[in-house]
Amino acid sequence: MATPAPEAIPIILRASFGTNSWDLSLPLDINISAIIRKLIRSNLGFEEQDSTGARIPYRLHWQEGNRYLLEGETLRTAQVSAHHTLTMSAEARAGAIGVRPRSSAGVRS
């Protein structure tokens, strides 16, 4: 018997730099840190490492809730609803230069 796909909701993902945004479906019951890892591995253009080889820490800001989502919570526990907007941004680090996502296909205007 096949395992059912996890329940997901459609959201709008934006990059903190530029005007890139994507319509995506994200799982409701996967923690935010796993969602961020999934987004980095996807073909959206978020770099995993900076030019020095250091890992780039990202955060997701929930626009409608006006707060950053915690790494251990899920979209369900945060009460993010369908068609809400999440903004992916790199955390500021001392001496770090702003990270911009690579341009990629599938960007909506």
Side-chain angles (χ1 to χ4, degrees), residues 15-35:
S16 61
F17 295 101
T19 57
N20 295 344
S21 65
W22 303 267
D23 293 315
L24 301 174
S25 187
L26 293 177
L28 277 171
D29 297 312
I30 303 296
N31 68 38
I32 297 302
S33 61
I35 289 173

Side-chain angles (χ1 to χ4, degrees), residues 13 20 22 24 36-47 101-107:
L13 177 68
N20 295 344
W22 303 267
L24 301 174
I36 290 172
R37 284 192 305 273
K38 178 180 176 175
L39 293 171
I40 291 169
R41 287 191 307 266
S42 67
N43 233 359
L44 300 177
F46 294 100
E47 299 287 341
R102 301 179 310 267
S103 62
S104 62
V107 176

Side-chain angles (χ1 to χ4, degrees), residues 25-103:
S25 187
L26 293 177
L28 277 171
D29 297 312
I30 303 296
N31 68 38
I32 297 302
S33 61
I35 289 173
I36 290 172
R37 284 192 305 273
K38 178 180 176 175
L39 293 171
I40 291 169
R41 287 191 307 266
S42 67
N43 233 359
L44 300 177
F46 294 100
E47 299 287 341
E48 189 168 2
Q49 298 178 338
D50 65 16
S51 60
T52 67
R55 181 182 134 328
I56 299 170
Y58 286 98
R59 297 172 65 177
L60 283 174
H61 184 269
W62 174 31
Q63 180 177 317
E64 290 76 7
N66 195 31
R67 69 179 181 91
Y68 284 97
L69 298 174
L70 302 173
E71 288 189 355
E73 70 183 325
T74 66
L75 295 178
R76 187 184 306 273
T77 60
Q79 299 181 344
V80 174
S81 295
H83 308 291
H84 279 189
T85 301
L86 302 177
T87 302
M88 181 112 148
S89 61
E91 292 181 16
R93 294 190 312 244
I97 298 173
V99 177
R100 298 178 185 267
R102 301 179 310 267
S103 62

